[in-house]
Amino acid sequence: MKNRNHRYRKAQIETASPVQLVLLLYESAIRFCDQALEAMAQKNLSEQNANLLKAEEIIGELIGALNQDAGGELAVNLRRIYLYMLEKLVLANLYDESEGVQQVRDMLRSLHDSWAEAAQRLLEQTTLEAGENLPETARLGDRHV
């Protein structure tokens, strides 16, 4: 079963759009934060550390994926947010404080939801524009008026 999930995830990543990849990264980082919080509650320091390091690695990937030239002020602000998250996770791991992990998880969830909403709006706009460019007969479901 695990092998099948791995193949599914690999196919999902290989066929994802850039926005979908960002969403997948957020989802994975959130999952690792949740697993780290669970490990913290169980006083399992090795699992806590492993999951927080994975979340940090994903945030590092998000930083590396930012295009400062094309993204302008948005990219600069996202970089600041990501760096803040990294700091919070490192300190939470170092001092075994779940509040920092919860804060980062909540920030990741908010960013994920914002990206998902923006992607949905873009899809709707693109679909609307594509429909406007269709011939009249296609827009009417191939019925002739």
Side-chain angles (χ1 to χ4, degrees):
M1 182 70 162
K2 189 173 184 177
N3 194 23
R4 190 176 351 160
N5 287 341
H6 177 72
R7 286 193 313 258
Y8 170 77
R9 182 61 112 190
K10 184 178 179 190
Q12 188 180 25
I13 291 168
E14 290 173 350
T15 60
S17 70
V19 172
Q20 290 170 323
L21 284 174
V22 171
L23 291 173
L24 288 170
L25 287 171
Y26 284 141
E27 290 164 9
S28 295
I30 291 165
R31 185 176 69 253
F32 289 127
C33 284
D34 286 339
Q35 291 172 357
L37 287 167
E38 198 173 299
M40 288 175 131
Q42 297 171 359
K43 304 292 184 204
N44 185 337
L45 296 179
S46 64
E47 282 298 308
Q48 168 187 322
N49 183 57
N51 285 298
L52 288 175
L53 289 177
K54 289 176 185 176
E56 291 169 25
E57 185 177 334
I58 290 170
I59 293 170
E61 289 294 325
L62 288 165
I63 291 170
L66 289 172
N67 184 335
Q68 300 283 338
D69 296 330
E73 188 177 342
L74 177 61
V76 169
N77 289 334
L78 280 172
R79 185 174 190 282
R80 287 181 184 143
I81 291 169
Y82 294 152
L83 289 172
Y84 175 80
M85 288 182 193
L86 279 177
E87 181 181 354
K88 293 300 277 186
L89 290 179
V90 168
L91 292 174
N93 201 11
L94 184 63
Y95 297 111
D96 195 29
E97 295 175 344
S98 62
E99 297 82 14
V101 181
Q102 290 171 345
Q103 182 182 9
V104 169
R105 184 197 55 204
D106 292 345
M107 292 171 74
L108 287 165
R109 172 59 58 202
S110 178
L111 286 167
H112 174 276
D113 293 349
S114 295
W115 274 86
E117 183 180 330
Q120 182 62 37
R121 285 186 182 172
L122 181 61
L123 177 64
E124 289 169 1
Q125 181 65 31
T126 304
T127 303
L128 180 64
E129 289 172 1
E132 290 172 353
N133 293 329
L134 290 174
E136 184 69 24
T137 56
R139 278 188 268 145
L140 297 174
D142 291 327
R143 292 181 303 169
H144 296 284
V145 179

